[in-house]
Amino acid sequence: MLPAGPVPGGGGLCLLRWLGLRLCSRRGTLVCALLWFGSWLFLNGLVLVHRSILSDYCTDDKSKRILQRLCLQFGEGSVTGDMCEDLCVVGLVEYKRCLYYENGKKVIEARWRGSPVILKSKLENFTSYEPLGILDYQVRAGGSQEGTGGGGPSDSRRSLQQDTAEELSPLDVVFYATLEVRNSLGLAEGDEDEDEGGGGGNNSLARLWEKKLKSRDRSYSRAELASLWSLLQQEEYTFLRVLQDLSTHVAKVLGSCGHFYAVEYLSAGHAWDQNIFSLEGVEVSGARARWSSREKVQRIALSFLDMVRHFDHDFAHKLHLCDIKPENFAIRKDLTVVAIDVDMAFFEPKMRDILDQNCSSDDDCNFFDCSSRCDRDRRRCSAVRRNSNLQVICEKIFRPWFSPTLLGSKAGLPLQVELQRAVQECSETEGGGVEEDGGGETGGRGHSVHLRLLSVLTRLLREGGASREEGGAREEKGHTALNF
């Protein structure tokens, strides 16, 4: 029975209140809860769909439009690069598929002159990068003079973009580019001078870049400068390009067009794969062709150890990897481990700047896989990293590889047990870097852990090779008896 009598606000409101009371009575409580939960799921589903599909979904159509826009800019003379002609004119760059797209970062698989490559850019649009200030000033100045001369504005603008930047000498370009490289890598000029006169990979990283640019004997066009400047604003490109000739453990840069650059195609690791890397595609010959999957994994582990030692000692500053996971590494055909995603790789000076922040507990001093301790008196994080590349690799890569579950029947063998214990000790050793000179109690312990892992893996490979030779001899003998 409906309540009688006039109610301020109208009968409609009264009816809704009455229905609400009836619905949310004791018998309708469960219905209310279910309706509320269903509405919550629906709204969150809409948000998820919008974020993952409508905004950042990696589609072939969108990827092709981005490359078409790049080619249009190349045709206008705004950008250039050693692969632009093949991509936009000759058709020697074949689009395959979109691999990744998030917050503007674009990763595309393609084939360049028959070989697979990966095209990458931190931002999808060339205009999203900050222009080189001197070029921006020159274009504006040229535009202000267009009204006083002949020719249309578009012709003048195109001429400005294509002509040589006469105001910038090659040495000016070296100066600006070196500053940008130092800024990107977090290296101050004083840091560079510390290693002057050193040999090998300990030479100044930015000065290696200078040397490459100084070898050019002609001026740079505006398109070349604009393209170079967009590439230098991408930390990963700068990192890979500077280390191009110094390391076998980073992906090789093969070419560029505008703000996109091409790196060698390598099959990345996957957490769901038991061996992390696909070993079927590894091409080996001779004695290597007889390696078992377990032997290949052990050799990859040795390459990880070599990479850690290399990153700790072979540059002007220690290199820290703050995002260690299977997807960020790949292997070449010779089983060399390669870092293919180095957005979170930092040299020591920049690592210290990142860690040096306010804190109230140690949890505030974690930066992805790099962490330090909180000084609660100063309420400031230590600028010195407390864990190491080796420790995180042992935790995230080696422990799943060499766990008793995956080793199966071989888990109880003496060398396998020793390897498991070494990996366990490695994953629990704070600051376990590869300090060749000891460098204190913690550094010395890290060095000993590295040596122990190296020793056990080497002995395992030697033992596997010996048993395989014995097995081959027995097989050959048996074969002779069966046939004769």
Side-chain angles (χ1 to χ4, degrees), residues 377-395:
D377 294 332
R378 296 173 51 245
R379 301 183 69 83
R380 194 79 179 171
C381 294
S382 169
V384 179
R385 183 182 176 187
R386 70 174 180 178
N387 62 356
S388 68
N389 294 334
L390 180 60
Q391 182 182 3
V392 182
I393 285 172
C394 283
E395 176 67 29

Side-chain angles (χ1 to χ4, degrees), residues 253-275:
V253 178
L254 305 176
S256 65
C257 180
H259 58 302
F260 272 88
Y261 58 98
V263 298
E264 61 180 322
Y265 177 88
L266 297 167
S267 181
H270 296 284
W272 47 262
D273 193 319
Q274 175 177 311
N275 295 320

Side-chain angles (χ1 to χ4, degrees), residues 22-227:
R22 296 286 294 178
L23 184 61
C24 294
S25 63
R26 292 179 179 178
R27 295 180 180 179
T29 302
L30 180 59
V31 177
C32 282
L34 289 174
L35 286 174
W36 179 87
F37 183 69
S39 301
W40 181 83
L41 283 178
F42 177 75
L43 291 174
N44 279 273
L46 286 178
V47 172
L48 180 63
V49 167
H50 175 73
R51 286 181 178 175
S52 64
I53 297 180
L54 298 182
S55 60
D56 283 347
Y57 192 64
C58 192
T59 67
D60 290 335
D61 288 341
K62 186 169 185 177
S63 302
K64 290 178 180 178
R65 285 198 301 270
I66 291 173
L67 294 181
Q68 288 170 357
R69 191 182 309 130
L70 176 65
C71 286
L72 181 63
Q73 291 166 330
F74 171 65
E76 294 172 345
S78 303
V79 303
T80 190
D82 54 2
M83 69 180 302
C84 283
E85 193 80 16
D86 287 352
L87 173 67
C88 304
V89 181
V90 186
L92 293 180
V93 179
E94 178 187 358
Y95 175 89
K96 301 299 289 186
R97 61 188 175 121
C98 176
L99 296 177
Y100 180 85
Y101 179 70
E102 184 176 355
N103 296 326
K105 181 178 180 179
K106 198 72 179 175
V107 183
I108 297 171
E109 180 184 343
R111 292 187 71 84
W112 184 17
R113 299 186 178 182
S115 299
V117 297
I118 301 296
L119 299 177
K120 306 182 80 172
S121 178
K122 185 177 180 179
L123 302 172
E124 66 176 80
N125 294 318
F126 179 74
T127 53
S128 299
Y129 293 95
E130 288 292 326
L132 180 57
I134 186 66
L135 289 182
D136 190 44
Y137 167 77
Q138 290 171 4
V139 170
R140 287 199 306 270
S144 65
Q145 297 172 2
E146 288 169 1
T148 62
S154 59
D155 294 336
S156 300
R157 188 178 298 111
R158 183 167 182 173
S159 176
L160 276 169
Q161 292 168 339
Q162 290 179 330
D163 289 345
T164 300
E166 296 176 358
E167 296 84 350
L168 282 179
S169 69
L171 287 179
D172 290 331
V173 176
V174 169
F175 173 75
Y176 284 116
T178 303
L179 286 180
E180 188 67 17
V181 169
R182 283 178 176 155
N183 178 65
S184 179
L185 299 179
L187 301 175
E189 188 172 1
D191 298 326
E192 299 293 311
D193 292 337
E194 289 176 5
D195 299 294
E196 192 170 357
N202 283 327
N203 284 333
S204 159
L205 295 172
R207 289 184 180 180
L208 288 173
W209 179 270
E210 279 186 40
K211 188 176 180 180
K212 290 179 181 294
L213 291 178
K214 283 181 178 178
S215 62
R216 179 169 174 136
D217 57 359
R218 62 185 178 86
S219 299
Y220 292 84
S221 69
R222 286 179 171 80
E224 287 175 322
L225 289 175
S227 300

